[in-house]
């Protein structure tokens, strides 16, 4: 067979000019395949009996005043029908009233009896979540999270979509210079002070001034008491905007981690994939880092309490877990 030609075109982006509607169509196609992205979307319902039913791209109802919905995803929950109304963003600003229209459509479907429950979901690069209005969606999945879900797929279609999402992240960040954000910084300082009082063994590092990009909502406890010195993406992590507290392991697969710890984890602890690693995860209340700390104090305390639970879990099973956390020490 004649070899394929080579040339500069092999280094070009997957899309010469990536548009949100391109991603909409690829997402809809991917959801019709029983793969990891479908599973990730199903996770927002926090139930084990959720089954994918169908998905439609660019849904518009004439005359309802609610505008276009990028993606509608239908699930079955026992005998109930539930929907996600998905707004996909790369870098375009929200249109005037766009977020409110999503909420209005969701409520009208429920009131008419078209569905048992409807939730709105924003899918975008994580840096986008700092924009006003993003916090009003019921659920949020960032491109980085979706890429991580697709990373383990062994088919070219899923890998292609992961590459497209990566191109979307790059497009969103072009020309973006993060600036310090006082509200985010204030929230970090409040969490730090609260941790010093309630969970001193976590040894939270005193935060510097923060900005709005994605890393501003992820707290690593790299000096938690009872751990070896931690570098990289492992250890105890609060992912505040997602509502997760993780004990994260580096370069470990979900099946491998499950085979080791499934018999010792608590009932509310789950084993999940996160980026290129596996985690023991506990769900918690979300923390909006742009809100006032006084309004989120219960959520702050809950996240810190669950982080401390994971630290104590690690201490109880230290001889086993440190072989996974720090394999280089074997």
């Amino acid at each position: 067979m004649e070899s394929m030609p080579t040339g500069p075109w092999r280094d070009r982006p997957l899309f010469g000019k990536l548009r949100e509607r391109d991603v909409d169509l690829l997402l809809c196609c991917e959801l019709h395949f029983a793969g990891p992205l479908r599973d990730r979307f199903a996770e927002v319902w926090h139930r084990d009996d959720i089954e994918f039913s169908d998905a439609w791209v660019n849904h518009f109802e004439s005359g309802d005043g609610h505008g276009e919905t990028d993606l509608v995803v239908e699930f079955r929950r026992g005998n109930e029908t539930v929907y996600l109304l998905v707004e996909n963003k790369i870098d375009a600003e929200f249109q005037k009233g766009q977020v409110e229209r999503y909420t209005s459509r969701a409520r009208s479907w429920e009131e008419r009896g078209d569905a048992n429950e409807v939730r709105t979901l924003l899918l975008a690069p994580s840096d986008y979540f700092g924009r006003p209005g993003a916090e009003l969606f019921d659920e949020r999945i960032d491109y980085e999270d979706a890429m991580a879900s697709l990373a383990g797929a062994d088919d070219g279609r899923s890998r292609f979509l992961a590459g497209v999402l990566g191109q979307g992240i790059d497009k969103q960040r072009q020309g973006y210079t993060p600036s310090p954000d006082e509200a985010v910084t204030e929230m970090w300082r409040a969490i730090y002070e609260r941790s010093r009082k309630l969970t001193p063994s976590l040894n939270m590092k005193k935060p510097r001034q923060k900005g709005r990009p994605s890393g501003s909502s992820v707290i690593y406890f790299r000096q938690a008491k009872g751990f070896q010195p931690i570098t990289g993406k492992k250890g105890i992590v609060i992912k505040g905007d997602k509502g997760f507290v993780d004990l994260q392991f580096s370069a470990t697969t979900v099946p491998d981690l499950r085979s080791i710890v499934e018999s010792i984890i608590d009932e509310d602890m789950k084993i999940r994939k996160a980026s290129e690693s596996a985690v023991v995860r506990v769900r918690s209340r979300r923390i909006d880092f742009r809100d006032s700390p006084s309004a989120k104090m219960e959520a702050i305390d809950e996240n810190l309490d669950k982080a401390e639970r994971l630290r104590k879990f690690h201490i109880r099973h230290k001889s086993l877990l440190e072989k996974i956390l720090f394999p280089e020490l074997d």
Side-chain angles (χ1 to χ4, degrees):
M1 180 180 294
E2 185 176 348
S3 61
M4 290 291 292
T6 61
W9 60 271
R10 284 192 172 274
D11 297 324
R12 70 181 291 275
L14 296 173
F15 280 82
K17 183 179 180 181
L18 182 64
R19 298 164 296 183
E20 289 170 355
R21 65 186 181 186
D22 298 324
V23 181
D24 294 342
L25 182 58
L26 291 172
L27 288 167
C28 192
C29 291
E30 185 71 22
L31 287 168
H32 281 87
F33 168 71
L37 189 67
R38 181 192 291 186
D39 293 340
R40 178 64 189 91
F41 273 57
E43 282 183 4
V44 306
W45 299 102
H46 310 316
R47 289 178 54 145
D48 295 330
D49 59 345
I50 285 290
E51 294 184 3
F52 171 85
S53 179
D54 212 337
W56 302 267
V57 67
N58 303 133
H59 176 72
F60 181 84
E61 294 182 14
S62 178
D64 71 354
H66 296 156
E68 183 182 62
T69 302
D70 289 341
L71 195 64
V72 177
V73 190
E74 180 184 88
F75 293 91
R76 298 293 299 173
R77 186 174 66 191
N79 294 323
E80 298 179 338
T81 301
V82 297
Y83 290 96
L84 289 176
L85 304 184
V86 182
E87 170 64 16
N88 170 47
K89 288 290 189 185
I90 297 177
D91 56 356
E93 297 290 342
F94 289 120
Q95 300 171 18
K96 184 178 180 180
Q98 185 176 26
V99 179
E100 291 77 8
R101 289 195 295 271
Y102 266 79
T103 301
S104 179
R105 170 167 286 176
R107 300 295 79 80
S108 68
W109 284 20
E110 291 177 345
E111 292 168 0
R112 292 200 313 252
D114 295 339
N116 296 94
E117 186 177 0
V118 184
R119 294 185 186 177
T120 61
L121 183 148
L122 175 62
L123 179 72
S126 57
D127 286 354
Y128 194 96
F129 291 166
R131 302 192 186 191
E135 75 283 358
L136 300 179
F137 285 83
D138 298 322
E139 307 289 342
R140 294 183 293 181
I141 297 177
D142 58 51
Y143 274 24
E144 292 85 346
D145 189 349
M147 285 179 65
S149 298
L150 293 164
D154 58 1
D155 62 284
R157 180 201 62 256
S158 297
R159 292 195 298 271
F160 180 83
L161 177 55
V164 169
L165 295 177
Q167 186 176 340
I169 294 168
D170 292 340
K171 180 180 179 183
Q172 198 278 334
R173 291 177 177 171
Q174 284 177 358
Y176 176 71
T177 302
S179 58
D181 187 286
E182 289 302 324
V184 174
T185 301
E186 183 180 359
M187 181 65 76
W188 269 80
R189 289 171 178 163
I191 294 171
Y192 169 71
E193 294 296 338
R194 200 67 176 161
S195 182
R196 289 182 64 192
K197 180 178 179 180
L198 299 181
T199 55
S201 293
L202 290 173
N203 287 331
M204 181 176 174
K205 184 179 179 181
K206 187 174 182 178
R208 299 177 180 176
Q209 195 171 36
K210 297 291 181 179
R212 289 184 293 177
S214 59
S216 293
S217 61
V218 180
I219 304 172
Y220 284 90
F221 297 91
R222 303 191 186 280
Q223 300 171 353
K225 186 176 180 180
F227 282 76
Q228 299 285 345
I230 294 175
T231 59
K233 293 185 177 181
K234 55 189 175 184
I236 300 170
V237 190
I238 288 179
K239 299 176 180 178
D241 64 335
K242 293 185 172 69
F244 300 153
V245 185
D246 291 346
L247 178 58
Q248 189 159 305
F249 300 83
S250 179
T252 303
T253 66
V254 168
D256 285 347
L257 183 59
R258 180 175 287 118
S259 68
I260 295 169
V261 305
E262 191 167 36
S263 63
I264 61 174
I265 58 177
D266 297 338
E267 186 176 351
D268 63 337
M269 295 179 179
K270 306 299 180 183
I271 300 167
R272 294 288 185 261
K273 180 177 176 60
S275 187
E276 297 181 359
S277 62
V279 302
V280 175
R281 172 168 292 168
V282 184
R283 290 194 176 274
S284 191
R285 301 189 204 186
R286 286 181 175 173
I287 301 174
D288 185 342
F289 278 69
R290 291 159 302 141
D291 207 341
S292 68
S294 60
K296 294 297 180 182
M297 197 55 65
E298 290 185 1
I300 291 171
D301 289 356
E302 182 178 322
N303 277 267
L304 289 171
D305 177 69
K306 291 184 176 180
E308 176 64 7
R309 274 187 59 204
L310 288 175
R311 188 193 71 83
K312 291 179 178 178
F313 172 77
H314 167 263
I315 297 299
R316 289 199 306 272
H317 306 286
K318 186 172 182 177
S319 60
L320 172 63
L321 295 177
E322 291 211 337
K323 291 180 181 178
I324 316 171
L325 274 171
F326 308 105
E328 65 272 14
L329 299 180
D330 288 349

